[in-house]
Amino acid sequence: MNRSTLSIILAGGVLLSACATRPENVTARYVSPNTYRAWNCTQLQEERIRLDGEVARVANLQRENANADAALLTVGLIVFWPALIGMAATTDRREELGRLRGEHDAVQTALREQN
């Protein structure tokens, strides 16, 4: 195996680890419901609606990035390896999505406790 082939394989491995996670594979991070215990039902309902929209928005962005990474990976590995560099341009919003899902779960828990 020559050096350029080894370099391409290593670069591919590094870029594979940078792929954006599919949104359905992102789990909620724990957020304490204590944050929302002092809120009344109206405030909790409004926050839940806001979080529903934010979760959907960020999940959609994450899905677009995951799809773009998959397409660039396919093109890069099969047709034109420099296309792999484009994968670095996508943003993995896994942490943000996990946090938002955790906040949503905490609001839901606070709502259940108040009803």
Side-chain angles (χ1 to χ4, degrees), residues 15-22 61-77 83-93:
L15 289 171
L16 280 175
S17 66
C19 290
T21 306
R22 306 263 338 141
L61 291 171
Q62 184 72 4
R63 185 174 297 103
E64 288 173 2
N65 288 335
N67 290 342
D69 282 354
L72 287 168
L73 180 63
T74 301
V75 169
L77 292 178
L84 293 173
I85 295 168
M87 290 176 66
T90 60
T91 303
D92 190 0
R93 291 180 165 82

Side-chain angles (χ1 to χ4, degrees), residues 88-109:
T90 60
T91 303
D92 190 0
R93 291 180 165 82
R94 175 182 46 218
E95 293 298 318
E96 180 182 7
L97 184 56
R99 179 187 51 78
L100 286 168
R101 286 182 173 165
E103 288 178 20
H104 187 273
D105 290 351
V107 168
Q108 286 292 100
T109 300

